[in-house]
Amino acid sequence: MSAETVQTQTHAELSNELDSPIWAVISFEQVEAANLTYPSAARLLAELESKKVAGLCIVTNAAAYRVKTPK
């Protein structure tokens, strides 16, 4: 297998992962949204930043599941 083939496969796998609904946006306060594609998460993050929501980050759903939210 050539290096070009490996690079193309890696790019395709990465694109597929970014378009999968496995991403979440979290803040210092809570999980803001989950089950997003990465482009959707990036748009939400920008929207929340404009509203001055603190501590924003894009993580996987699995990581977001471990975030403790206030009760």
Side-chain angles (χ1 to χ4, degrees):
M1 189 177 299
S2 72
E4 185 176 319
T5 302
V6 171
Q7 184 177 11
T8 301
Q9 285 178 331
T10 303
H11 179 68
E13 291 168 359
L14 179 59
S15 292
N16 190 30
E17 189 172 274
L18 294 175
D19 291 330
S20 296
I22 61 168
W23 302 99
V25 176
I26 61 173
S27 67
F28 284 144
E29 298 296 321
Q30 63 189 358
V31 176
E32 299 292 337
N35 302 315
L36 303 170
T37 63
Y38 197 89
S40 295
R43 283 190 296 275
L44 177 59
L45 187 136
E47 179 184 324
L48 293 172
E49 278 182 335
S50 73
K51 294 178 180 178
K52 307 290 188 215
V53 176
L56 294 169
C57 186
I58 298 175
V59 298
T60 63
N61 287 331
Y65 178 74
R66 294 193 279 289
V67 172
K68 294 183 179 169
T69 57
K71 293 183 181 185

